[in-house]
Amino acid sequence: MTVNDEPVALRWVRDAADLRAALALRLRVFCDEQGVPREQEVDAYDDVARHAVAVAADGTVVGTMRLVASGSMVKVGRVAVDRGWRGRGIASELLERAMDYARAVRAEELRLAAQVAAAPLYVKAGYRQVGRPFEEAGIEHVWMVREVIPLRRRLRHDAATGRSTAAGSAGTDPGA
Ligand SMILES: CC(C)(COP(=O)(O)OP(=O)(O)OC[C@H]1O[C@@H](n2cnc3c(N)ncnc32)[C@H](O)[C@@H]1OP(=O)(O)O)[C@@H](O)C(=O)NCCC(=O)NCCS
């Protein structure tokens, strides 16, 4: 993707340095900015999750998200974008990659605990709220879900509605 004429590459973390940079971004955003205790930020899911990063042209990791597949569900978490890079579509692109991944592993549903303040981001990405808000790490959250529409069905849907959204989005590589 291009942000203000600068290329930003989306990809899965490929080595320990990538993962360190993703975790460092999360600590800056969730702990320093939002006050989440540091011992709660990194947990056992980080060992098994698929982590994505958005990387600026100079190699800086400016966005991240993690995905944990569990049965027919993929849980999206720790969506964070560097303060100076917000409002330019990076989180939205990451969420599209989450859908690509869910399709690739044949999950039926994407699920996430959204901060209530960030819920509009997820609504725009096709998620709907389920249940009532709850508190976690001192922040109000709400569960949100998005049905995974298999690519073939989506192509039919696009044809029927005249939209074209599916090109190049299959597979698990987030780098498109
Ligand atoms: C929330 C966050 C990840 C959004 O990242 P981003 O790259 O700025 O999001 P996008 O640019 O893709 O936003 C897409 C849409 O969602 C809306 N949106 C994004 N963040 C929002 C927020 N916090 N509140 C309300 N709307 C928001 C935007 O207005 C945008 O709509 P637009 O294109 O019509 O303007 C980023 O602000 C962030 O890291 N915040 C701190 C950490 C956090 O709260 N993470 C979410 C945990 S659930």
Side-chain angles (χ1 to χ4, degrees), residues 29 34 79-81 86-92 115 117 120-122 124:
V29 170
Q34 298 192 329
V79 182
V81 173
R86 291 183 191 156
R88 305 176 200 183
I90 292 175
S92 303
Q115 293 185 14
L121 162 71
Y122 301 110
K124 276 188 181 152

Side-chain angles (χ1 to χ4, degrees), residues 33 63 65 144 166:
E33 204 182 298
M65 140 191 101
M144 303 190 78

Side-chain angles (χ1 to χ4, degrees), residues 27 30 52-53 70 83-84 90 118 125 134 136 138 145:
L27 290 176
F30 293 115
V53 282
S70 168
R83 208 172 212 163
I90 292 175
F134 60 94
E136 192 178 283
V145 297

Side-chain angles (χ1 to χ4, degrees), residues 1 25-26 29-30 33-34 62-64 76-83 85-95 112-125 139-142:
M1 67 183 292
L25 174 61
R26 279 169 39 185
V29 170
F30 293 115
E33 204 182 298
Q34 298 192 329
V62 295
T64 188
V76 182
R78 305 302 201 264
V79 182
V81 173
D82 185 272
R83 208 172 212 163
W85 289 80
R86 291 183 191 156
R88 305 176 200 183
I90 292 175
S92 303
E93 284 288 324
L94 286 167
L95 291 172
L112 57 85
Q115 293 185 14
V116 167
L121 162 71
Y122 301 110
V123 169
K124 276 188 181 152
I139 297 172
E140 205 178 18
H141 285 76
V142 66

